[in-house]
Amino acid sequence: MKGPSITAADINGIVGIVPTPATEDASRWDVEHTVALDETARMVDMVVAGGTDVLLTNGTFGECATLTADELYAFVDTVVQTVAGRIPVFAGATTLNTRDTVTRARKLASLGVDGLFLGRPMWLPLDEHQLVQYYRDVAEAVPDMALIVYDNPGAFKGKISSRAYSELATIPQIVAAKHIGLLLGGGAFIEDQKAVGDRIRLLPLENDWHYAAQLFPDLVTACWSGNVVCGSAPLVALRTAIAARNWEEAEAIAGQLEWALEPLFPDGNFELFMRYSIQIDNAEFEAAGLIRPGPTRPPYHHAPERVLESGRECGRRWRALHDRYSLDTADLALQI
Amino acid sequence: MTTSRPRLTPADMRGMWAFVPACATADATSWKAESTVDVEALAALVDRLINDGVDGIVTTGSAGEGHTLTTDEFQVLGKTAVEAAGGRVPVFLGVSMLHTRESIARARLAAACGADGIMSGPPMYLPQSMENALQYYRDLSEAVPDTAIMIYQNPHAFRITLTPAVFAQVAQVRNIIAVKQTSMEIFNVIGSIKAAKDNMAVLVLDQLMYPAMMFGAAGAWSIDVCLGPWPSLSLRDACEKQDWEEAARIADQMQAPFTTLGLTMEEFQAFQAPWWKTAVDVAGYGRAGPARPPFVHVPPHVTESAQRYARQWIGLAEKYRILRDGGLVSAQIPDESS
């Protein structure tokens, strides 16, 4: 065993999460191959060229829960080939149990991913011991794969506790964790950061990044974003500001991102968002106009129009920001 | 191909349905184990339950670990249960996966195993809308039109409490013929009974048969029967005879072990697979073996709770076994627990 080639120190900047583009008939239960592979390649190339530093696939809106195993492998194969080693790739392998995840992990390793973006079984909630053992088992099964923990209380029936984080930090393969951030998670980010030290890169949400980075400037050197397919330019500007520790600038950019994302929860209702989150995110990506995500897959395919509209409004706002920041960059290039 | 049975109707879904554990080999706690179904133990348990008088067999729900088995193991388990039942009572296999197409694939496997039906809850990765849950059942029904479907109502696992309005709609689907009601709330249960009318049989937790059967429930589901089925069978018989006084007395006695659980409902839910498997092994009526990953660490107080419950149940079960052998009713034997 040589262990993963990526460590926590390698996770910096924008950790971008992408959807799984779908064919037009993907909402039907009797269709077997629903991944739009050409659009996948185009999307991934755009995201890498746009400045994303680490790529994550098949989280919640990346539909780890609704792809067949064959579709997942075909999608990830295209992603890996398109990225072609330019940045690290972490693929989602969350399933209902440890052994199914191990099976997927081994196959994904053979496709050439650098690591796994890994949530936990969610039929029943896991306690701390079960949760830690689950990650230990997967790390033991694929010792050369780096792991990014997916901490999503909504999907996995509970927040990962600080005590569990300190245990996870003893597993060398775990290099980062997608955290819920400061504003949604309250003080948890601070406690969790103290628990993991520099062994796990905790990733706050993009618009919380500057708060966390001000508290732990040497440790919180990356954030996650689910909006890279709507345009990376604002995130690149944010990354630059945070790297320069220009907190005023970072806060101003984060404020704009918050404006863009403000309509995301319909009526400000997080529960309503959770019930339709895949569909809402999908509507956002489509409205931003840079990729063609296609329809969502069953059973997460219906959503009320007004709920979708909140996603679309986010997409339009984000795209406007992206265009503005792209122009700024172009101006800057001209001046130089 | 096993002998084909006539398609089941709601009227066939009566009585006591045994929910059996996914009996496991000793090495089943390891993620490295590949074939963990204790075929012999499962076949023996199914056979014994049917000989003792249960009316149907259901596998692979929450406590039955539908979520921790590999696809290959699911097939082994399904075939074993169907063969052990040998056509004497219907067998339903639990099929609740992360998405519609995966549930359909597994439902087809269940049919290929010879199962009479499937039990399915809506995908639970995210909380589900009523509209998508309804579409899920319609898609499933369309994909396996010759397989009977039992709706699996379990808000804790599936993050959705299907409403009477949804029940009224799914009840219209031809091959959806029953609902497994996990709810302990009698008025929720009554709502589903009213919505189902004659189009769908409602099965309730065994100890709720009284008063649910008085209000039109068709029968019950029970894991308790795997610890010794006699109290549950006596309650079934009393309800079917509409002897509500006797039924109330038995139901009270069956509820007593539950009051000494010593766990929060959240703990009980989270650890239900190892909890029930421990209880089954302590009671000794069948052999369940350990729970599979990731449910391998069990706090001592959870194990003690299961042991305590099983010991209490054994006392009750033995009393009713003797009663049933002698053809007596429970009022004729003093109640030791009171």
Side-chain angles (χ1 to χ4, degrees), chain B residues 297-320:
Chain B
H297 292 289
V298 187
H301 74 285
V302 173
T303 304
E304 284 156 19
S305 163
Q307 290 165 338
R308 192 164 54 236
Y309 182 87
R311 282 193 295 266
Q312 285 181 273
W313 184 271
I314 299 169
L316 193 65
E318 185 57 13
K319 172 176 147 181
Y320 276 93

Side-chain angles (χ1 to χ4, degrees), chain B:
Chain B
M1 189 75 196
T2 40
T3 13
S4 105
R5 294 167 56 89
R7 191 201 305 281
L8 295 168
T9 70
D12 300 313
M13 306 297 290
R14 311 198 66 82
M16 179 58 60
W17 290 69
F19 276 52
V20 298
C23 303
T25 52
D27 64 348
T29 54
S30 167
W31 63 267
K32 294 170 187 158
E34 288 181 7
S35 179
T36 64
V37 179
D38 186 338
V39 170
E40 203 180 303
L42 179 64
L45 178 59
V46 168
D47 182 60
R48 189 170 184 191
L49 284 164
I50 297 173
N51 280 337
D52 282 336
V54 303
D55 301 293
I57 299 289
V58 182
T59 72
T60 47
S62 286
E65 293 185 274
H67 43 114
T68 64
L69 296 171
T70 65
T71 306
D72 288 346
E73 288 171 339
F74 173 80
Q75 284 179 281
V76 170
L77 179 142
K79 282 181 188 156
T80 302
V82 167
E83 275 168 28
R88 291 174 288 172
V89 301
V91 176
F92 278 57
L93 305 184
V95 163
S96 308
M97 308 304 286
L98 282 176
H99 61 99
T100 308
R101 293 179 298 153
E102 205 181 359
S103 286
I104 288 170
R106 197 159 272 208
R108 288 176 171 157
L109 282 183
C113 290
D116 301 276
I118 57 162
M119 174 178 76
S120 186
M124 84 303 291
Y125 184 94
L126 292 174
Q128 188 66 267
S129 71
M130 292 296 164
E131 191 188 23
N132 282 322
L134 186 56
Q135 188 64 45
Y136 169 79
Y137 283 116
R138 288 188 171 137
D139 289 349
L140 194 57
S141 151
E142 189 187 344
V144 290
D146 297 326
T147 300
I149 297 174
M150 183 189 297
I151 306 275
Y152 187 2
Q153 166 89 308
N154 182 337
H156 178 79
F158 305 124
R159 307 171 178 216
I160 182 170
T161 305
L162 299 169
T163 58
V166 170
F167 284 132
Q169 291 184 70
V170 290
Q172 301 302 315
V173 180
R174 194 181 46 100
N175 54 331
I176 296 182
I177 60 167
V179 53
K180 185 237 179 194
Q181 260 290 15
T182 302
S183 177
M184 304 268 288
E185 170 57 58
I186 187 66
F187 289 103
N188 185 320
V189 171
I190 290 171
S192 58
I193 293 169
K194 286 168 74 171
K197 298 203 173 71
D198 293 336
N199 299 317
M200 204 162 65
V202 177
L203 303 178
V204 300
L205 176 65
D206 53 1
Q207 52 180 261
L208 274 189
M209 264 188 289
Y210 174 81
M213 282 180 75
M214 199 160 83
F215 300 133
W221 60 273
S222 171
I223 313 178
D224 286 323
V225 291
C226 302
L227 280 66
W230 304 285
S232 310
L233 293 172
S234 289
L235 177 55
R236 173 200 64 188
D237 295 347
C239 288
E240 286 180 350
K241 280 186 297 195
Q242 303 193 6
D243 182 348
W244 304 121
E245 207 177 309
E246 169 79 351
R249 190 180 303 118
I250 303 171
D252 272 352
Q253 291 172 7
M254 284 171 62
Q255 282 159 15
F258 239 87
T259 59
T260 62
L261 218 50
L263 301 175
T264 64
M265 214 49 207
E266 285 70 28
E267 280 177 308
F268 177 67
Q269 292 278 7
F271 291 103
Q272 57 180 292
W275 191 94
W276 278 111
K277 291 181 108 172
T278 300
V280 168
D281 284 344
V282 169
Y285 181 81
R287 274 196 339 267
R292 296 172 177 81
F295 301 98
V296 290
H297 292 289
V298 187
H301 74 285
V302 173
T303 304
E304 284 156 19
S305 163
Q307 290 165 338
R308 192 164 54 236
Y309 182 87
R311 282 193 295 266
Q312 285 181 273
W313 184 271
I314 299 169
L316 193 65
E318 185 57 13
K319 172 176 147 181
Y320 276 93
R321 190 183 63 77
I322 294 166
L323 273 170
R324 294 175 68 79
D325 275 354
L328 308 171
V329 294
S330 69
Q332 294 168 271
I333 281 196
D335 184 359
E336 293 137 37
S337 59
S338 59

Side-chain angles (χ1 to χ4, degrees), chain A residues 291-305:
Chain A
I291 66 157
R292 290 189 308 275
T296 56
R297 298 171 177 85
Y300 302 104
H301 47 331
H302 294 288
E305 187 56 28

